[in-house]
């Protein structure tokens, strides 16, 4: 038998992509497989795996998490080791060793990347090396002889560029002809020193040239400077979130209008009854409550993907590491925490970028402390009630809410890292990638994928919650009073008087009075309906719990219903107090501001309003966030811990604020 018979080139059916972070591995995967790919998690983890079929080749490709080494102690490295050993596979896939490994190497930094090549070669699997980003390397005067590298390493080496498409067809063909590296020692076997010598020879075959990096050095000096870098970061992130809120407002208004019209059409087209109520106020309202946040999430991930492509996010993480490290979180946590100011759901999902598990859990647990857009209606109403005659003071209190949330999140992270998540902080080590022009196409694909994941994961939960909340608020039905029935009957009678000769002004006054009488009795009926509903009964039952922070049964109903979503508090107050479901309707806010308790005092007197404001800054009142926390953290226990800590802290702080203000008054 020929000596090379044992190295015959098998047809690769299942190929895995491995490589260092920032080598263009995922971009390469997208170019090879197109945008029609599937994303799933490895069992028991939050690590993504994209799978797809290579176009123009008989190969099924899986994109593994980026790693610097197969041997270090990290969840990403453990996953890659398990996949190569045939003991781990993404959800739904058969557990088996891959037919081939494609190691993606950055052509602008070949020597450092060859460490991972050597570790992959020792797994004794058919292998091919993709020398990616050759277009950038050439511009920087970096050249490598792929034939020499292939001869030295004993595996096919293909030069390519995921950005331009150069060499991708050759790489696809090479995947089906991958070879087991010759004379490679398996882990634990002798000959490791000989392989190290071969890698050294391969490094010598990589001519790194004399490329000038003066511009890169100057940019890095600015972007990573302790003060200037922080200022640049604040400016860029401020621009990002200004863009999000500015651009997202238009599609959010459009979505709100579409679902509002759809609900109205259903109510007008179907006969009144439980099915119509369920469809209009349960299902449609629930789907609308989910979809309305989609524009913010898609724009956020699109902009983050663009920043990541440029190479700036790595510099930003380096700068913020100095700020967050004393509180037990790394620099990679800042973007997720900043994202949580739009919505905690994508913020928690973005925590996947944090390498260390303890630090990742800390960021997930405290992300909901950041004041998201759902809290804004509550902040606006309560600060407006507290400072009705001073817009400047209201704005200052509004900003204080954001500051309090950030402070609570940092302190909570510090406490968690000193107790349940105790452990050494992992030094932040990362390669600063080369500055490049961002790929709009890749960013759009990333944003679309993240948006779909949001709808799929959170949408079903929000829909279920909305249906339950609708049922609790609508049932049991309260019969209409005889006065309301008589008042409705009086409206057409008032119109009949038009046929009787008389004063036209008196006719109009009579019709107007009849309509006003109906509207007033309908408001009373709405309030009675809420009081007697299941939600109302729950509010009355829990009133003793929230009384120490100044809440009566009506405020308690608002607190209970807003556990599904914080912004529900405002609409609940509108219904309970004014009998309207729109808090922005004319006169509703005035009625809320002037509402009184049974003892004649204002419902929202200062001590109670301040206590509620502090409570809503700190409380975990978003069940979809809890569902996403359970998914991303790896178990319901973390979501329950998050709920208990944030809820307990909010309650204690609210009670303390109320009691201190009462004693001081």
């Amino acid at each position: 038998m020929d000596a090379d018979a044992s190295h015959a080139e098998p047809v690769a059916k299942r190929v895995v992509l491995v490589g260092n972070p920032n080598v263009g591995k995922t971009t390469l995967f997208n170019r090879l497989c197109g945008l029609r790919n599937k994303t799933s998690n490895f069992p028991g983890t939050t690590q993504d795996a994209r799978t797809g079929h290579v176009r123009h080749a008989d190969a099924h490709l899986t994109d593994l998490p980026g790693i610097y080494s197969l041997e270090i102690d990290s969840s990403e490295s453990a996953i890659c080791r398990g996949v190569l050993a045939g003991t781990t596979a993404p959800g739904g896939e058969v557990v088996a060793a891959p037919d081939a490994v494609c190691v993606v190497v950055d052509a602008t930094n070949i020597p450092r990347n060859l460490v991972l090549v050597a570790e992959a070669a020792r797994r004794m699997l058919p292998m091919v090396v993709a020398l990616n980003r050759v277009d950038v390397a050439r511009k920087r005067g970096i050249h490598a002889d792929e034939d020499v590298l292939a001869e030295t390493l004993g595996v096919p080496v293909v030069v390519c560029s995921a950005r331009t498409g150069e060499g991708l067809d050759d790489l696809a063909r090479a995947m089906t002809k991958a070879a087991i590296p010759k004379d490679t020692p398996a882990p634990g076997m002798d000959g490791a020193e000989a392989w190290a010598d071969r890698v050294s020879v391969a490094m010598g075959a990589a001519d790194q040239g004399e490329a000038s990096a003066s511009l890169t050095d100057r940019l890095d000096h600015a972007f990573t400077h302790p003060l200037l870098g922080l200022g640049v970061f604040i400016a860029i992130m401020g621009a990002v979130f200004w863009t999000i809120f500015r651009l997202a407002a238009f599609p959010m208004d459009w979505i709100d209008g579409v679902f509002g019209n759809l609900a109205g059409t259903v109510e007008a087209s179907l006969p009144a009854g439980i099915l119509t109520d369920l469809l209009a106020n349960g299902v449609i309202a629930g789907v609308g409550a989910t979809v309305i946040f989609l524009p913010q999430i898609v724009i956020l991930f699109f902009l983050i993907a663009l920043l990541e492509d440029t190479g700036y996010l790595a510099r930003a993480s380096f700068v913020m590491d100095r700020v967050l490290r004393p509180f037990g979180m790394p620099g990679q946590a800042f973007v997720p925490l900043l994202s949580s100011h739009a919505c905690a759901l994508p913020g928690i999902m973005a925590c996947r970028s944090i390498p260390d598990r303890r630090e990742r859990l800390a960021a997930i647990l405290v992300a909901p402390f950041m004041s998201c857009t759902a809290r804004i209606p509550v902040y606006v109403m309560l600060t407006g009630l507290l400072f009705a005659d001073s817009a400047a003071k209201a704005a200052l209190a509004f900003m204080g809410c954001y500051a309090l949330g950030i402070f609570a999140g940092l302190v909570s992270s510090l406490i968690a890292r000193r107790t349940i998540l105790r452990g050494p902080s992992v030094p932040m080590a990362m390669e600063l990638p080369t500055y490049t022009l961002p790929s709009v196409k890749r960013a759009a694909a990333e944003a679309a994928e993240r948006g779909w994941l949001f709808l799929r994961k959170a949408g079903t939960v929000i829909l279920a919650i909305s249906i339950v909340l609708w049922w609790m608020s609508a049932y049991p039905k309260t019969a209409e009073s005889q006065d309301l029935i008589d008042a409705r009957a009086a409206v057409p009678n008032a119109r009949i008087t038009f046929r009787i000769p008389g004063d036209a002004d008196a006719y109009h006054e009579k019709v107007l009075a009849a309509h006003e009488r109906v509207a007033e009795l309908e408001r009373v009926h709405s309030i009675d309906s809420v009081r007697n509903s299941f939600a109302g009964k729950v509010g009355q039952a829990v009133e003793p719990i929230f009384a120490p922070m100044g809440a009566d049964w009506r405020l308690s109903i608002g607190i209970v219903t807003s556990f599904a979503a914080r912004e529900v508090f405002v609409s609940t107050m509108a219904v309970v107090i004014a009998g309207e479901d729109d808090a922005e309707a004319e006169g509703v806010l005035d009625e809320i501001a002037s509402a009184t308790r049974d003892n004649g005092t204002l419902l929202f007197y200062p001590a109670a309003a301040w206590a509620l404001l502090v409570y809503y800054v700190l409380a975990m009142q978003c069940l979809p966030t809890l569902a996403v926390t359970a998914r991303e953290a790896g178990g319901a226990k973390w979501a329950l811990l998050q709920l208990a800590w944030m809820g307990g802290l909010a309650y204690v702080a609210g009670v303390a604020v109320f009691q201190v203000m009462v004693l001081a008054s």
Side-chain angles (χ1 to χ4, degrees), residues 108 116 172 179 241:
T108 67
L116 183 59
F241 278 88

Side-chain angles (χ1 to χ4, degrees), residues 49 55 87 111 140 148 169 186-187 227 253 322 331 373 407 419 454-455 508 523 542 605 632 649:
R55 294 180 294 186
T87 59
R140 297 176 62 180
V148 174
D169 290 340
L227 295 179
D253 290 342
R322 301 187 186 101
T373 53
F407 176 76
T419 54
F454 164 76
L455 290 178
H508 287 299
R523 282 197 293 270
V542 301
Y605 65 99
E632 298 295 309
L649 181 63

Side-chain angles (χ1 to χ4, degrees), residues 433-457:
T434 305
Y435 292 104
T436 58
L437 290 175
S439 168
V440 174
K441 184 177 181 180
R442 193 196 79 80
E446 178 75 10
E449 181 180 354
R450 292 297 180 181
W452 170 244
L453 285 175
F454 164 76
L455 290 178
R456 185 160 55 90
K457 289 185 176 182

Side-chain angles (χ1 to χ4, degrees), residues 142 286 518:
I142 299 172
V518 170

Side-chain angles (χ1 to χ4, degrees), residues 335-623:
V335 171
L337 294 181
L338 199 62
S339 303
S340 297
H341 282 93
C343 178
L345 300 182
I348 291 173
M349 292 164 63
C351 289
R352 298 176 180 183
S353 63
I354 303 174
D356 182 72
R357 181 176 180 273
R358 293 185 183 91
E359 294 173 339
R360 182 166 58 248
L361 284 173
I364 289 173
L365 291 176
V366 305
F369 275 116
M370 307 301 111
S371 292
C372 64
T373 53
R375 286 182 170 106
I376 291 178
V378 182
Y379 291 174
V380 169
M381 187 184 82
L382 292 177
T383 56
L385 293 174
L386 284 167
F387 303 104
D389 56 350
S390 177
K393 291 181 179 179
L396 189 61
F398 194 93
M399 293 172 59
C401 293
Y402 278 79
L404 177 59
I406 294 171
F407 176 76
L410 293 177
V411 173
S412 297
S413 174
L414 179 62
I415 294 173
R417 294 287 282 121
R418 296 286 179 87
T419 54
I420 58 172
L421 297 176
R422 184 186 294 112
S425 294
V426 178
M428 187 175 178
M430 66 162 53
E431 177 190 5
L432 295 181
T434 305
Y435 292 104
T436 58
L437 290 175
S439 168
V440 174
K441 184 177 181 180
R442 193 196 79 80
E446 178 75 10
E449 181 180 354
R450 292 297 180 181
W452 170 244
L453 285 175
F454 164 76
L455 290 178
R456 185 160 55 90
K457 289 185 176 182
T460 53
V461 177
I462 294 175
L463 176 59
I465 291 170
S466 299
I467 293 174
V468 171
L469 180 60
W470 159 80
W471 179 79
M472 289 186 64
S473 301
Y475 290 89
K477 291 290 188 181
T478 300
E480 294 181 345
S481 66
Q482 188 60 46
D483 288 342
L484 176 57
I485 296 173
D486 293 341
R488 284 178 176 156
V491 171
N493 291 333
R495 289 174 178 164
I496 292 175
T497 60
F498 178 78
R499 299 176 183 175
I500 301 174
D503 188 354
D505 291 337
Y507 158 74
H508 287 299
E509 289 179 3
K510 188 172 184 179
V511 172
L512 181 61
H515 279 290
E516 289 179 346
R517 174 66 173 166
V518 170
E520 175 62 26
L521 291 173
E522 284 181 340
R523 282 197 293 270
V524 172
H525 175 70
S526 296
I527 295 172
D528 288 340
S529 297
V530 173
R531 181 194 293 267
N532 296 321
S533 69
F534 292 117
K537 294 182 186 301
V538 170
Q540 295 169 57
V542 301
E543 180 181 358
I545 299 176
F546 295 105
M549 54 184 285
D552 73 340
W553 72 270
R554 287 173 292 182
L555 295 180
S556 297
I557 290 177
I559 293 172
V560 170
T561 56
S562 63
F563 270 97
R566 301 172 182 96
E567 65 271 25
V568 173
F569 176 80
V570 177
S571 59
T572 301
M573 289 298 96
V575 172
V576 171
I577 296 172
E580 296 278 354
D581 59 1
D582 183 4
E584 297 182 2
E586 184 178 358
V588 171
L589 287 178
D590 291 335
E591 288 194 48
I592 293 176
S594 60
T596 58
R597 301 169 186 248
D598 294 337
N599 60 6
T601 60
L602 287 174
L603 179 62
F604 286 96
Y605 65 99
W610 274 115
L612 279 172
L613 189 59
V614 171
Y615 177 84
Y616 273 96
V617 170
L618 302 176
M620 163 48 72
Q621 289 187 291
C622 184
L623 293 183

Side-chain angles (χ1 to χ4, degrees), residues 36-377:
R36 295 182 179 180
N37 54 75
K38 181 182 69 174
T39 300
S40 58
N41 286 350
F42 290 95
T45 75
T46 60
Q47 299 298 325
D48 282 339
R50 291 178 175 86
T51 57
H53 191 272
V54 179
R55 294 180 294 186
H56 313 302
D58 186 17
H60 183 72
L61 195 61
T62 299
D63 180 21
L64 298 182
I67 56 172
Y68 288 107
S69 171
L70 284 167
E71 311 301 339
I72 62 176
D73 183 18
S74 72
S75 61
E76 293 87 351
S77 297
I79 287 171
C80 293
R81 288 195 300 269
V83 171
L84 297 182
T87 59
T88 304
E93 290 197 8
V94 178
V95 177
D99 297 309
V101 181
C102 178
V103 184
V104 183
V105 171
D106 185 354
T108 67
N109 195 350
I110 295 174
R112 188 186 56 73
N113 283 245
L114 287 177
V115 174
L116 183 59
V117 174
E119 293 174 348
R122 295 179 63 193
R123 266 60 189 178
M124 302 299 291
L125 291 169
M127 192 170 78
V128 61
V129 172
L131 203 58
N132 193 29
R133 304 183 74 220
V134 293
D135 55 325
V136 178
R138 293 188 189 114
K139 290 179 181 178
R140 297 176 62 180
I142 299 172
H143 302 281
D145 191 326
E146 64 270 23
D147 295 328
V148 174
L149 286 172
E151 178 64 26
T152 305
L153 297 175
V155 297
V157 176
V158 180
V159 295
C160 61
S161 171
R163 182 173 297 276
T164 65
E166 177 186 349
L168 296 190
D169 290 340
D170 293 337
L171 179 60
R173 286 190 293 269
M175 287 180 179
T176 64
K177 301 177 181 179
I180 297 176
K182 300 177 181 179
D183 306 320
T184 302
M189 296 177 61
D190 295 332
E193 292 183 2
W195 175 252
D197 291 339
R198 292 172 60 189
V199 172
S200 298
V201 173
M203 290 181 177
D207 177 16
Q208 295 301 104
E210 300 292 336
S212 173
S214 57
L215 177 59
T216 296
D217 291 340
R218 289 197 297 269
L219 290 175
D220 282 346
H221 178 73
F223 290 156
T224 61
H225 190 274
L227 295 179
L228 180 59
L230 182 61
V232 171
F233 179 81
I234 292 173
I236 291 177
M237 288 298 113
V240 166
F241 278 88
W242 180 87
T243 303
I244 291 171
F245 289 117
R246 186 74 173 176
L247 295 183
F250 301 103
M252 289 178 75
D253 290 342
W254 179 80
I255 290 171
D256 187 41
V258 167
F259 279 91
N261 292 334
L262 182 59
T265 301
V266 169
E267 289 181 324
S269 303
L270 298 178
I274 184 173
L275 178 61
T276 301
D277 285 346
L278 172 63
L279 292 176
N281 301 316
V283 176
I284 295 176
V287 173
T290 302
V291 177
I292 197 169
F293 291 108
L294 185 62
Q296 287 184 338
I297 291 170
V298 170
I299 294 173
L300 171 66
F301 278 108
F302 176 75
L303 295 177
I304 287 179
L306 290 180
L307 286 175
E308 184 179 19
D309 263 5
T310 64
Y312 174 72
L313 276 191
R315 277 82 180 174
S317 297
F318 179 80
V319 170
M320 294 312 301
D321 187 69
R322 301 187 186 101
V323 178
L324 296 176
R325 184 65 60 183
F327 299 97
M329 290 184 289
Q332 294 99 325
F334 194 80
V335 171
L337 294 181
L338 199 62
S339 303
S340 297
H341 282 93
C343 178
L345 300 182
I348 291 173
M349 292 164 63
C351 289
R352 298 176 180 183
S353 63
I354 303 174
D356 182 72
R357 181 176 180 273
R358 293 185 183 91
E359 294 173 339
R360 182 166 58 248
L361 284 173
I364 289 173
L365 291 176
V366 305
F369 275 116
M370 307 301 111
S371 292
C372 64
T373 53
R375 286 182 170 106
I376 291 178

